Amino acid sequence: MSTGAVGRAYPRLEGAAKVTGTARYAVEYPVDGVTYGWAVPSAVVRGRITRIDTTEALASPGVLAVVHHGNAPRMAPGPQPELRLLQEPTVHYRGQYVAVVVATSLEAAREGARLVRIDYDTGPHSTVLTDDHPGLYKPDQVNPSYPTDTAEGDFDAGYAAAPVRVDVTYRTPAYHNNPMEPHATTAQWHDGRLLVHDSTQGATPVRATLAELFELPPESIRVVAEHVGGGFGSKGYAKASVVLAALAARHMDRPVKLALTRQQLFGPVGYRTPTIQRVRLAADTDGRLTAICHDAISQTSTIREFAEQTAVYTRSMYAAPHRRTTHRLVRLDVPTPFWMRAPGECPGAYALESAVDELAIAVGLDPVELRIRNDTAVDPDQGRPFTSRNLVACLREGAQRFGWAGRDPSPRAGRDGRWLIGTGVAGSSYPARARPSTATATARPDGSFLVQINATDIGTGARTAIWQVAADALGVPPERVEIRIGDSALPTAALAGGSMGTASWSWAVIRAAQALREKLRDGGPPTGEVTAEADTTEEVGGQPALPRYAYGAQFVEVRVDADTGEVRLNRMLGVFAAGRVVNPTTARSQLIGGMTMGLSMALHEEGLLDERYGDWVNHDLATYHITGCADVESIEAYWLDERDDELNPAGVKGIGEIGIVGAAAAVANAVHHATGVRIRELPIRLDKLIGISDLA
Amino acid sequence: MKAFRYHRPADVAEAVAVLAAEPQAAYLGGGTNLVDLMKLGVQRPDVLVDVTRLPLDTVEELPDGGLRIGATVRNSDLAAHPVVRRDYPVLARALLAAASGQLRNMATTGGNLLQRTRCVYFQDTSKACNKREPGSGCAALHGQNRDLAVLDWSEQCVATHPSDLAVALAALDTVVEVHDADGPRDVRIADLYRSPGTHPERETTLARGALITAVRLPPLPAARRSTYLKVRDRASFAFAAGSVAAVLNLDGDVVRDVRLAYGAVAHRPWRAYRAEEELRGRPFSPELAARAADAELAEARPLRHNGFKVPLTRAITVRALTELASS
Amino acid sequence: MQGGGENATTIDERHSSRVTVEVNGASREVTLDNRTTLLDALREHLDLTGAKKGCDHGQCGSCTVLLDGRRVKSCLVFAVTVDGRSVVTVEGLAGPDELSPLQAAFIAHDAFQCGYCTPGQLCSARGMLDEVSRGWPSAVTGDLNTPAKLTDAEIRERMAGNLCRCAAYPHIVAAVRQTAASS
Ligand SMILES: Cc1cc2nc3c(=O)[nH]c(=O)nc-3n(C[C@H](O)[C@H](O)[C@H](O)COP(=O)(O)OP(=O)(O)OC[C@H]3O[C@@H](n4cnc5c(N)ncnc54)[C@H](O)[C@@H]3O)c2cc1C
Ligand code: SF4
Ligand code: FES
Ligand code: FES
């Protein structure tokens, strides 16, 4: 039946639009009578606005209005308290948006924002995460709904009894998602109905949030997100830009475009929490793990709890009879942390996969071999067999492709002139999940088909992948299929997040296509349009709860300048087992993108918070360094041919996040191999390695 | 950003006259620093005097063997100039190590020398900064100061000068040609920049409204053996964590002439006279280079986060000189 | 709390300018607030939204366009300063009927994901290839006195001013390499 579109390397459907500049993003639609909104952030950490003086701002040419808590349209309490902006004088964190200036031009809006005078009453604040913070507490669950702590066996006893032990603490700083397109929105009200073009990972959840906040039926709201300039989690739900734009547009009764500035993205739209992670591993002298404990500390805000599931990775990755994981949280006067590519798994794997490397050294065993020895067919957490687990195959194939065999394990074994050369490895896993979605498939009299689903393509290649899946499901060549996504007016679907997009959307699309074929089976070609729809709510909900995971193995070679401590990537290679790969071209790009972000995390990124001001002072792309073109000498991604019938009709596991999991550990492990120095606090910058030539 | 009037002067005299008449006017070169700071509200001129169409965009070989570089010559054109590449590699390399291809196409010689510090507190009007707002305090002194100075800072300001070009020019004993209300005059680059002292808002010795018209490189045959080493936190497109401009002239293995300047360590490009003194007249060895750097850096006073700059600067001094010695 | 209203729309004459600029081959004339950057002039006044705003401070490269044939970051250029000059944006890179080889190579190599940095990458690459053909050296060029060969290391360094958070870097390098080799 299949025409074989799935698995083929089609170029992206919107490729031509993107390379010619005709693809429109959120604030690029021409709108009559449009005005420009500029968000005003609070300049204090915790306090209360006592006075807003807008006189000067309003006197400034082009400024139309200043919207703030004193005059803003009212909103109902929404699901996320931090979105109830401009409703009260209270300030919960520095950078919270406290006003929006609306003007006839961007220039006037920017200047108007500068002229708004705000007085505050302030109180003392706490913005720095420490492992002995008096506010440490145990949340009820961790993101999205995992148990906070788990325990099997008797960790303390198992640990005490073991011949080989590792007890290490790792720290990661705040990371800022920084998609290239800032959070941006065009909002317009027409007769009580709201139309927004928003830069979001999910138009459906944005519509739901706006409906709650503005107390409207969802049908009165349309959210369009045809092209989205990246999100990496930070656009997973409605964010400040869409709320502020909608509020301002309602206040003005005119369309408003509002894009946050790059500086304004550091905090209020979410970021990856800093973490402090203590990992204890115990093993017998063969390197078989006997006890594992992962204690993770992270932060949340005072307005909403977001508990990064940092130690969850450790629950299912390697087996041991005695295991324990815990999460503790501190409420600080900071913006609420949120999703960033592989929340939980990413920082957690950095710590666990680094600790495993330390254990391999302590045992005197090759780190690939040690991971193989601790593989398990049964999920140590759920106690059930994994639907498929190809970690070992990834490690083996990766080792072979990378040329791992024969590696001299001693640190500082490799040298090329002034460069110390080292290699490192890490495992990687990410859950394969799906969410309910709906879709429609329509047969047209001319023999073409239209498939509609409110999926979002934030650069993942989703549009193309669903199109391929749809063609195969309809049993026609893809050229005959038209696909529409990125609009809440289309059938409701899951957001692009949690590596669940393709699994969720393809599921609904396949079911809709099947239903359509069923309808068409009897008659000949339709005379009018025939449409079938599908809703996977029941089917997805009824799926047995089995441990479903994608796996990977990351291999890295670095060079470290013996005098200056500069670290450079020589090469990075990942092998993944992620179910069926719908489109090798876009899949490779996703995996490489994730791996590069892991490299960036390992070597470059760090939000530098100034405790006195309570915000990140390096809030731009000149001082918050992300990996650039010159840093990436060679990154390769491969995958295994993997079939898993327990997943979803398309047999996919999701590839958006697994690439970053373990990547930073592989880099850090390679740095240790090169230098003999173990840096347990990211990023690994030259100041932490300078002078290593003087060390033994 | 404050609304501003835009003026395109016909000649240097007119440009200088506008600045003299307008208290809040500024010259606009490539704009890569000024436009940035205007958007941030750090600089708020009323009038911009666009100097990029003045006839100051040529590189001229001088009869004495030196080179005059017009103030509006773009960084990329200067780096690509055959004479610069051949006779002043330190200059070409410093330019090429800076910013990005696009920015080098925009940035001018004069603007580059007068670009402001990249101190993050200076760039954020919601924070205390003596340089931006005299008397408001220096947030960086006890704040995030990894990128800031280790030499010659004051309690009032610990900023560094961000330019790579200026470091190379400092090593080359460049003369800066300026034109102010009193007419044209020459300023040695060593006299151009100030230490922060109690007035960090005063960054240069130039009179307000002074226009840089050119920089003049004295003839320096030794500069054919010169280089610029820059270390940064990512492979490219980042300001220096440390940098060194070096010119070395050996007689056999004895150092006959040497010029050394450091970037990223002080409020000004740091000419390392003391290190040069250590080196001059002695047989070159990497150990000598290290001793020379130590002599220069003996007075370094690292801040909380930037202690690495001392060993880093030492390491790149040794490397740059050793490479030159063996080339 | 309404401000000056429509009357305040146009900034007064002293703070605005009539600007004539050739954009993608066509002469355009607009009156602009002097504060308007070239990037905002293109996006908000000329309906050319191809050039992107990623940072507005010269730090990302998304806004790269060609000004008199040279690549620049249009967010740091006041439009008033380009009066009489010519600008090429991503919308002007393709021929009337087909994509330029560079654009085609970007698609073939999947040199983008979200596509937001892409217009800047393309214009930057276009300008960069011209710089190479003029014999300009880069920071990684070994011998400054002979024209550099366009190795991958050269491409990476020369494209370093264009950030891509999706990290299409290896594919961007491949696309540029192929375009250079075939031209
Ligand atoms: C993201 C980014 C990264 C960068 N990285 C680096 C780097 O790594 N190394 C580095 O060295 N630089 C770097 N730069 C800085 C860049 O080199 C400078 O901004 C540029 O050289 C300034 O030149 P300009 O012509 O654009 O100056 P402008 O911005 O036009 O002007 C700068 C200042 O000089 C004044 N001025 C301009 N011309 C004259 C004149 N002829 N006479 C008197 N005053 C004048 C202006 O009034 C203004 O105060 C970077 C910049 C950015 C935005
Ligand atoms: S170091 Fe100088 S520029 Fe930075 S905050 Fe202090 S006074 Fe301002
Ligand atoms: S928008 Fe111009 S460089 Fe980022
Ligand atoms: S393609 Fe998304 S930022 Fe480059």
Side-chain angles (χ1 to χ4, degrees):
Chain A
M1 276 311 231
S2 157
T3 58
V6 167
R8 283 176 57 184
Y10 287 96
R12 285 168 205 271
L13 292 177
E14 72 285 4
K18 283 181 175 172
V19 300
T20 53
T22 51
R24 292 205 190 253
Y25 295 75
V27 287
E28 299 181 344
Y29 292 81
V31 181
D32 281 344
V34 79
T35 62
Y36 297 86
W38 200 281
V40 181
S42 81
V44 303
V45 184
R46 206 158 73 79
R48 222 184 133 73
I49 297 172
T50 52
R51 194 178 69 109
I52 291 202
D53 180 353
T54 58
T55 328
E56 250 190 290
L58 290 171
S60 180
V63 173
L64 300 171
V66 181
V67 191
H68 53 80
H69 71 274
N71 64 3
R74 295 291 100 188
M75 292 189 294
Q80 292 164 56
E82 71 261 50
L83 291 182
R84 285 197 77 242
L85 292 163
L86 315 191
Q87 303 295 298
E88 310 164 350
T90 326
V91 174
H92 303 280
Y93 56 88
R94 191 182 177 101
Q96 177 183 323
Y97 304 112
V98 291
V100 173
V101 171
V102 185
T104 54
S105 70
L106 279 171
E107 297 78 26
R110 183 203 297 271
E111 177 66 357
R114 209 193 60 85
L115 295 172
V116 177
R117 304 269 170 262
I118 307 177
D119 296 335
Y120 305 88
D121 268 349
T122 60
H125 63 255
S126 171
T127 54
V128 175
L129 181 69
T130 56
D131 54 10
D132 58 355
H133 198 286
L136 276 169
Y137 73 98
K138 180 182 169 189
D140 291 341
Q141 58 176 30
V142 296
N143 177 60
S145 53
Y146 290 106
T148 306
D149 296 352
T150 57
E152 297 281 328
D154 182 345
F155 170 76
D156 293 321
Y159 185 74
V164 188
R165 289 192 295 250
V166 163
D167 178 354
V168 279
T169 299
Y170 302 91
R171 283 161 205 271
T172 58
Y175 295 111
H176 301 275
N177 306 55
N178 276 310
M180 278 337 282
E181 183 195 22
H183 294 60
T185 310
T186 307
Q188 18 190 346
W189 293 84
H190 297 289
D191 306 325
R193 300 168 63 85
L194 174 62
L195 168 63
V196 302
H197 290 83
D198 190 32
S199 187
T200 176
Q201 292 172 228
T204 300
V206 169
R207 182 180 62 176
T209 303
L210 293 174
E212 271 185 79
L213 289 172
F214 290 97
E215 297 179 277
L216 291 172
E219 309 79 68
S220 305
I221 302 174
R222 181 168 166 211
V223 180
V224 179
E226 196 186 357
H227 298 290
V228 179
F232 312 106
S234 71
K235 296 174 184 168
Y237 280 104
K239 289 298 165 86
S241 61
V242 70
V243 176
L244 294 177
L247 266 185
R250 178 167 246 192
H251 179 81
M252 301 299 302
D253 202 17
R254 278 181 74 169
V256 172
K257 282 188 190 179
L258 186 146
L260 298 179
T261 66
R262 178 59 54 185
Q263 289 81 353
Q264 292 174 344
L265 298 183
F266 285 74
V269 297
Y271 56 97
R272 198 195 295 288
T273 171
T275 68
I276 303 170
Q277 305 179 52
R278 181 179 184 196
V279 179
R280 280 171 286 174
L281 300 178
D284 62 24
T285 48
D286 291 338
R288 254 170 262 278
L289 284 161
T290 53
I292 305 178
C293 181
H294 191 162
D295 300 309
I297 294 175
S298 60
Q299 72 190 35
T300 187
S301 68
T302 57
I303 29 178
R304 189 164 69 90
E305 181 177 272
F306 177 85
E308 178 108 359
Q309 68 273 38
T310 311
V312 163
Y313 177 84
T314 298
R315 293 176 185 168
S316 298
M317 192 59 184
Y318 301 109
H322 307 290
R323 291 176 306 107
R324 188 160 80 206
T325 62
T326 68
H327 294 89
R328 294 296 176 269
L329 219 50
V330 187
R331 290 187 189 280
L332 299 176
D333 301 302
V334 294
T336 314
F338 194 57
W339 302 336
M340 179 164 168
R341 208 169 198 162
E345 278 77 10
C346 171
Y350 158 65
L352 180 66
E353 298 291 339
S354 295
V356 166
D357 198 64
E358 303 208 39
L359 181 71
I361 292 166
V363 177
L365 192 64
D366 177 74
V368 171
E369 179 54 31
L370 183 120
R371 285 178 172 84
I372 291 173
R373 264 182 214 181
N374 288 290
D375 189 38
T376 167
V378 173
D379 177 6
D381 191 44
Q382 286 191 29
R384 298 188 200 185
F386 292 103
T387 59
S388 56
R389 175 165 162 126
N390 280 307
L391 173 65
V392 170
C394 290
L395 284 162
R396 292 223 159 95
E397 172 146 353
Q400 190 252 322
R401 284 181 180 274
F402 186 79
W404 182 265
R407 169 186 189 255
D408 180 344
S410 28
R412 294 188 164 231
R415 185 141 194 161
D416 177 8
R418 66 186 217 237
W419 296 102
L420 307 173
I421 314 282
T423 53
V425 63
S428 173
S429 85
Y430 195 80
R433 296 169 293 208
R435 288 217 179 130
S437 291
T438 62
T440 60
T442 301
R444 291 159 165 164
D446 66 359
S448 70
F449 294 84
L450 172 66
V451 172
Q452 305 190 85
I453 180 166
N454 183 23
T456 325
D457 193 333
I458 57 172
T460 55
R463 184 181 277 106
T464 313
I466 306 169
W467 171 75
Q468 291 173 248
V469 168
D472 281 8
L474 290 164
V476 300
E479 295 71 36
R480 279 169 55 194
V481 179
E482 182 192 341
I483 172 105
R484 278 194 207 146
I485 64 166
D487 186 341
S488 70
L490 299 169
T492 302
L495 77 156
S499 294
M500 291 182 266
T502 307
S504 313
W505 303 322
S506 63
W507 198 327
V509 164
I510 287 172
R511 293 292 179 252
Q514 288 168 339
L516 181 65
R517 291 177 78 169
E518 197 61 34
K519 274 194 179 179
L520 295 175
R521 195 161 51 192
D522 314 321
T527 46
E529 289 193 346
V530 179
T531 295
E533 51 187 60
D535 181 343
T536 61
T537 307
E538 267 181 37
E539 203 182 348
V540 173
Q543 222 191 6
L546 301 175
R548 300 179 180 83
Y549 288 86
Y551 289 91
Q554 311 249 17
F555 292 81
V556 165
E557 181 183 290
V558 297
R559 59 183 195 276
V560 181
D561 188 306
D563 304 320
T564 63
E566 287 162 278
V567 183
R568 295 279 185 265
L569 179 79
N570 277 349
R571 59 200 178 100
M572 188 167 190
L573 186 151
V575 176
F576 301 91
R580 181 172 289 146
V581 167
V582 176
N583 184 326
T585 298
T586 53
R588 181 167 287 111
S589 290
Q590 277 287 288
L591 293 168
I592 288 176
M595 293 164 76
T596 309
M597 207 179 261
L599 170 70
S600 196
M601 163 185 181
L603 299 184
H604 301 303
E605 294 178 44
E606 176 177 26
L608 292 170
L609 189 114
D610 186 319
E611 195 172 354
R612 301 162 303 170
Y613 293 100
D615 70 349
W616 292 278
V617 293
N618 58 335
H619 50 210
D620 63 23
L621 293 174
T623 49
Y624 182 89
H625 288 139
I626 63 170
T627 289
C629 193
D631 298 293
V632 181
E633 297 186 15
S634 164
I635 295 196
E636 293 173 30
Y638 300 92
W639 49 84
L640 308 175
D641 204 9
E642 187 181 64
R643 265 201 72 149
D644 182 334
D645 294 328
E646 301 280 358
L647 298 172
N648 47 66
V652 302
K653 282 182 173 174
I655 45 175
E657 285 159 287
I658 184 134
I660 197 174
V661 182
V667 174
N669 295 340
V671 168
H672 175 265
H673 185 229
T675 63
V677 180
R678 180 70 65 176
I679 307 295
R680 298 196 184 90
E681 185 165 359
L682 296 182
I684 305 174
R685 268 192 322 235
L686 58 95
D687 42 306
K688 296 175 186 163
L689 288 168
I690 187 151
I692 41 169
S693 55
D694 304 333
L695 304 175
Chain B
M1 191 189 300
K2 190 157 70 162
F4 61 85
R5 282 169 284 136
Y6 174 75
H7 193 85
R8 199 179 290 145
D11 52 30
V12 166
E14 186 186 331
V16 173
V18 176
L19 265 276
E22 295 277 356
Q24 298 295 330
Y27 295 122
L28 177 67
T32 58
N33 190 227
L34 183 56
V35 179
D36 183 357
L37 292 175
M38 286 170 68
K39 288 183 180 184
L40 293 169
V42 172
Q43 287 188 246
R44 299 186 41 79
D46 282 333
V47 182
L48 284 189
V49 178
D50 184 349
V51 300
T52 57
R53 300 203 195 186
L54 293 176
L56 303 172
D57 61 344
T58 53
V59 179
E60 222 183 310
E61 289 180 74
L62 299 173
D64 66 358
L67 207 61
R68 173 186 280 120
I69 300 156
T72 63
V73 172
R74 310 284 174 164
N75 288 179
S76 54
D77 290 315
L78 186 56
H81 196 281
V83 176
V84 173
R85 285 152 72 172
R86 190 191 63 213
D87 291 351
Y88 302 96
V90 60
L91 179 53
R93 293 237 177 256
L95 288 161
L96 293 171
S100 73
Q102 299 97 311
L103 291 163
R104 294 192 293 270
N105 276 336
M106 304 161 74
T108 63
T109 311
N112 188 306
L113 293 182
L114 297 188
Q115 64 174 297
R116 315 293 302 274
T117 182
R118 304 299 296 198
C119 172
V120 293
Y121 300 95
F122 172 74
Q123 296 181 328
D124 182 342
T125 56
S126 72
K127 305 203 163 97
C129 170
N130 286 325
K131 186 185 280 301
R132 180 168 31 75
E133 210 180 309
S136 63
C138 170
L141 182 61
H142 300 295
Q144 296 288 353
N145 48 33
R146 181 177 180 273
D147 296 335
L148 302 182
V150 293
L151 285 165
D152 196 36
W153 51 265
S154 70
E155 295 282 320
Q156 282 74 32
C157 179
V158 294
T160 52
H161 196 273
S163 167
D164 292 298
L165 169 66
V167 179
L169 293 183
L172 295 172
D173 285 321
T174 304
V175 173
V176 181
E177 299 183 3
V178 302
H179 201 113
D180 58 24
D182 299 331
R185 62 195 179 89
D186 286 351
V187 181
R188 296 181 339 136
I189 193 151
D191 301 328
L192 178 67
Y193 299 103
R194 291 171 181 267
S195 300
T198 50
H199 285 287
E201 75 282 7
R202 294 183 205 153
E203 296 180 328
T204 70
T205 56
L206 300 182
R208 210 201 68 79
L211 178 73
I212 296 180
T213 52
V215 299
R216 210 166 64 235
L217 306 183
L220 187 64
R224 285 209 174 189
R225 198 191 275 192
S226 67
T227 195
Y228 187 77
L229 281 190
K230 174 175 175 181
V231 172
R232 16 187 175 178
D233 285 327
R234 64 181 166 196
S236 186
F237 197 29
F239 285 92
S243 75
V244 55
V247 179
L248 184 66
N249 183 4
L250 295 180
D251 192 352
D253 69 343
V254 174
V255 177
R256 192 152 54 149
D257 192 10
V258 60
R259 316 285 171 99
L260 267 184
Y262 295 151
V265 292
H267 196 252
R268 51 162 92 194
W270 191 259
R271 179 70 181 264
Y273 292 115
R274 226 169 289 177
E276 293 175 8
E277 220 168 280
E278 272 313 294
L279 287 157
R280 216 168 272 128
R282 299 218 163 93
F284 181 82
S285 68
E287 294 70 31
L288 176 69
R291 275 206 307 281
D294 287 341
E296 188 66 48
L297 297 164
E299 282 177 19
R301 290 176 297 149
L303 305 165
R304 182 156 164 222
H305 302 120
N306 68 1
F308 72 96
K309 286 193 174 184
V310 176
L312 179 64
T313 306
R314 180 185 196 263
I316 56 180
T317 307
V318 174
R319 178 171 300 161
L321 291 172
T322 308
E323 274 175 17
L324 289 176
S326 58
S327 70
Chain C
M1 279 278 244
Q2 301 283 312
E6 284 315 315
N7 293 341
T9 299
T10 32
I11 185 116
D12 65 80
E13 269 169 40
R14 286 163 19 114
H15 299 105
S16 59
S17 305
R18 189 102 191 124
V19 179
T20 309
V21 53
E22 187 188 297
V23 184
N24 299 328
S27 176
R28 309 284 296 261
E29 219 182 315
V30 262
T31 299
L32 295 171
D33 188 323
N34 289 340
R35 294 174 293 185
T36 307
T37 60
L38 175 56
L39 177 62
D40 288 333
L42 293 167
R43 288 170 61 83
E44 307 299 336
H45 297 266
L46 300 172
D47 193 28
L48 289 168
T49 54
K52 300 287 181 251
K53 187 182 287 185
C55 71
D56 214 14
H57 288 273
Q59 302 165 355
C60 76
S62 312
C63 64
T64 305
V65 301
L66 300 167
L67 177 58
D68 287 342
R70 294 160 58 122
R71 54 177 172 160
V72 300
K73 291 183 168 167
S74 61
C75 67
L76 293 183
V77 176
F78 285 127
V80 58
T81 67
V82 305
D83 186 50
R85 300 197 188 274
S86 91
V87 174
V88 173
T89 69
V90 69
E91 288 95 337
L93 290 182
D97 303 314
E98 57 180 37
L99 299 177
S100 67
L102 185 67
Q103 290 167 310
F106 262 60
I107 294 178
H109 289 276
D110 206 38
F112 54 89
Q113 297 179 45
C114 77
Y116 200 77
C117 73
T118 312
Q121 302 278 1
L122 287 161
C123 289
S124 188
R126 180 72 274 145
M128 181 274 268
L129 291 171
D130 291 345
E131 292 165 8
V132 172
S133 62
R134 267 180 270 147
W136 285 15
S138 86
V140 299
T141 307
D143 177 1
L144 290 177
N145 295 305
T146 49
K149 277 227 230 30
L150 197 60
T151 59
D152 282 3
E154 286 279 356
I155 298 174
R156 287 194 297 267
E157 161 60 25
R158 290 168 192 261
M159 292 299 292
N162 291 82
L163 300 179
C164 176
R165 190 54 156 162
C166 299
Y169 300 125
H171 296 167
I172 292 168
V173 172
V176 172
R177 184 201 304 128
Q178 181 199 304
T179 310
S182 63
S183 63

